[in-house]
Amino acid sequence: MGESQLKVLVVGGGPAGMMAAGQAAAAGASVTLLERNDRLGKKLAITGKGRGNVTNDADVEEIIAQFPGNGTFLYGPIYRFTNDDVRRFFAELGVPTVVERGGRVFPKSQKASDLVQAMERFLVKTGVRVQKGERVTRLSVAGGSVVGVKCGEKEITADAVILATGGASYPATGSTGDGYRLAEKAGHAVVKPRPALVPLEVAEKWVPELTGLALKNVSARVLVEGRLAAEEFGEMLFTHYGVSGPIILTLSREATGALNRGKKTQIQINLKPALTPQQLDARLVRDFDKYSRKQFKNSLDDLLPQKLIEPVVRLSGISGDVPVNQITKQQRIKLAETLTALTLNVTAMRPLREAIVTAGGVNVKEIDPATMESKLVKNLYFAGELIDVDGNTGGYNLQAAFSTGFVAGISAGKQE
């Protein structure tokens, strides 16, 4: 293509940036990827607890529904590069995937690092030049069109620029909000970033004793001023400050919204959601028969993880030393209530830097979803978490990153 070849700069080497760079190059452009870290895909490498929850097996409508707020913006991009396309893309790069509970899709190898290496192979295959340790400080705009970027004192010219710098969560991975500043300086409105999927802090002093305890197959609900606001089923985790894990992160959106409005916010955990009240009572009767000669505190080993026994005994109001065969029906009912409505008072959300996903970002009204081009600055494109769309846990946010990256890359690489 020689002199007429389009020059595209991609700022940010996360999943959206790498996808955009490779697609722009595949479309025929000369592409340079600028990454401020010393390696690509730092955040991708830790996604899904290092296992790489790359997308979700749900249909497109359901994926869109997992993005409260601006999900409809993603219709075009996700239909153009679907979850099936993501799986095919990685399979062709040597990373087959498997579907797990809740439709979550992971590499068969269970290693997120394999996804990063596959994307790096994609960049090599498509001929993208990668420059690491490059921090973009400004977009160069002339006559309403982007003409390049500044890295400190250095000017790099381009026919198109794709911003894919990530949000403001996990700053250690390089997502420190640079993209918001670049977009604002170029005239874009940025919806103030806030934590979207974030662990919660609670008041209960016994919770830190459970640090590291993961619970599976439990349900948790958010109560706002005592009224049910949201409920999720799955896995959660106790931490030194409160609670985390997939269902808590999904519920955190509702909980943080209520906290920000100054409302009393609680998380209520049902440790035995699969049992009806009658079934749970029958289970307790069975366990108490089995351990009838033991003290109450020594009778719950079949029912609860070791770490949870002492707090549950305390919260039930039954003395731990009472012989099991002396526990009354009323006390048994109180114990069942404790097991199905373990209530925690939420005091705060963890800071933005610990959020898995950032809400807020470049206003979607200023981006054309058909091309991901800015409506304000010609030849400027956006991709990934920098945009004001954020989804629940389950692989949805990575799907959005790949889909928006795909559309931005092809559009920038093929500029008419």
Side-chain angles (χ1 to χ4, degrees):
M1 286 182 92
E3 288 305 301
S4 65
Q5 194 174 20
L6 282 171
K7 246 179 103 180
V8 176
L9 289 178
V10 179
V11 185
M18 288 192 279
M19 179 62 80
Q23 297 298 343
S30 164
V31 183
T32 302
L33 174 61
L34 305 171
E35 167 55 52
R36 58 176 283 191
N37 284 314
D38 56 1
R39 64 180 197 270
L40 299 174
K42 268 181 112 169
K43 196 167 164 188
L44 180 57
I46 59 173
T47 176
K49 295 180 190 154
R51 291 172 56 223
N53 184 185
V54 68
T55 184
N56 196 289
D57 195 36
D59 63 37
V60 173
E61 294 290 330
E62 203 180 314
I63 291 174
I64 301 295
Q66 295 294 330
F67 288 82
N70 295 325
T72 51
F73 175 83
L74 292 171
Y75 259 112
I78 290 179
Y79 268 112
R80 277 190 66 191
F81 196 69
T82 66
N83 44 4
D84 290 340
D85 293 327
V86 168
R87 295 186 70 185
R88 204 174 299 115
F89 172 82
F90 281 105
E92 284 168 6
L93 289 164
V95 184
T97 51
V98 293
V99 181
E100 297 188 12
R101 200 165 49 76
R104 290 169 158 82
V105 176
F106 291 89
K108 205 168 176 183
S109 65
Q110 303 288 301
K111 287 192 213 152
S113 54
D114 285 356
L115 299 173
V116 179
Q117 286 164 16
M119 301 266 352
E120 287 177 322
R121 287 196 292 278
F122 176 54
L123 297 179
V124 170
K125 188 171 123 188
T126 53
V128 174
R129 271 183 306 284
V130 177
Q131 290 177 216
K132 296 170 188 168
E134 293 279 14
R135 186 171 188 174
V136 173
T137 50
R138 201 175 185 95
L139 297 173
S140 303
V141 179
S145 186
V146 73
V147 292
V149 302
K150 277 188 175 156
C151 294
E153 297 303 301
K154 189 168 57 175
E155 281 263 16
I156 308 174
T157 60
D159 299 301
V161 174
I162 302 171
L163 277 188
T165 53
S169 54
Y170 286 143
T173 64
S175 301
T176 55
D178 277 8
Y180 302 136
R181 291 186 283 278
L182 294 170
E184 275 183 322
K185 280 184 195 165
H188 272 275
V190 172
V191 178
K192 190 176 181 223
R194 62 193 185 283
L197 302 179
V198 69
L200 300 171
E201 297 181 11
V202 302
E204 282 62 28
K205 296 283 182 272
W206 51 268
V207 166
E209 298 164 25
L210 306 182
T211 297
L213 174 65
L215 300 178
K216 288 184 177 181
N217 305 321
V218 296
S219 72
R221 49 206 336 218
V222 175
L223 301 181
V224 178
E225 299 291 351
R227 297 177 65 171
L228 177 65
E231 189 165 13
E232 288 289 329
F233 173 85
E235 293 177 38
M236 63 164 288
L237 175 73
F238 287 100
T239 65
H240 65 281
Y241 50 75
V243 284
S244 186
I247 60 175
I248 299 297
L249 294 171
T250 298
L251 292 172
S252 69
R253 192 189 308 272
E254 200 72 45
T256 55
L259 276 179
N260 289 338
R261 296 193 305 275
K263 304 281 187 189
K264 181 182 180 185
T265 308
Q266 295 169 307
I267 293 280
Q268 202 173 67
I269 302 158
N270 183 346
L271 299 167
K272 301 291 168 189
L275 303 179
T276 65
Q278 293 78 9
Q279 288 170 327
L280 179 55
D281 190 54
R283 169 74 197 268
L284 292 175
V285 169
R286 201 165 67 241
D287 282 9
F288 286 177
D289 281 348
K290 181 177 174 183
Y291 295 112
S292 61
R293 297 176 186 279
K294 292 199 170 188
Q295 293 173 307
F296 174 48
K297 65 185 177 191
N298 297 323
S299 70
L300 300 173
D301 288 15
D302 295 353
L303 196 69
L304 293 169
Q306 200 61 45
K307 275 184 173 180
L308 255 181
I309 292 174
E310 196 187 326
V312 166
V313 167
R314 226 179 308 154
L315 293 165
S316 72
I318 306 167
S319 165
D321 299 327
V322 73
V324 167
N325 56 19
Q326 288 179 26
I327 289 176
T328 66
K329 184 173 184 190
Q330 276 316 107
Q331 287 176 314
R332 212 171 60 233
I333 289 168
K334 179 71 174 76
L335 172 60
E337 283 172 7
T338 306
L339 293 169
T340 55
L342 197 63
T343 305
L344 306 171
N345 290 284
V346 181
T347 54
M349 63 193 109
R350 294 300 282 173
L352 187 60
R353 66 175 181 273
E354 289 181 34
I356 298 206
V357 169
T358 322
V362 178
N363 191 326
V364 295
K365 292 190 175 81
E366 299 173 354
I367 303 169
D368 179 353
T371 59
M372 303 310 295
E373 187 177 14
S374 162
K375 291 179 181 177
L376 309 182
V377 182
K378 211 167 159 24
N379 304 328
L380 173 62
Y381 298 81
F382 295 98
E385 204 189 332
L386 174 66
I387 304 161
D388 184 20
V389 283
D390 58 281
N392 294 323
T393 61
Y396 304 108
N397 290 291
L398 267 181
Q399 175 66 49
F402 290 129
S403 294
T404 54
F406 176 87
V407 173
I410 283 185
S411 305
K414 279 186 172 163
Q415 282 171 42
E416 301 306 322

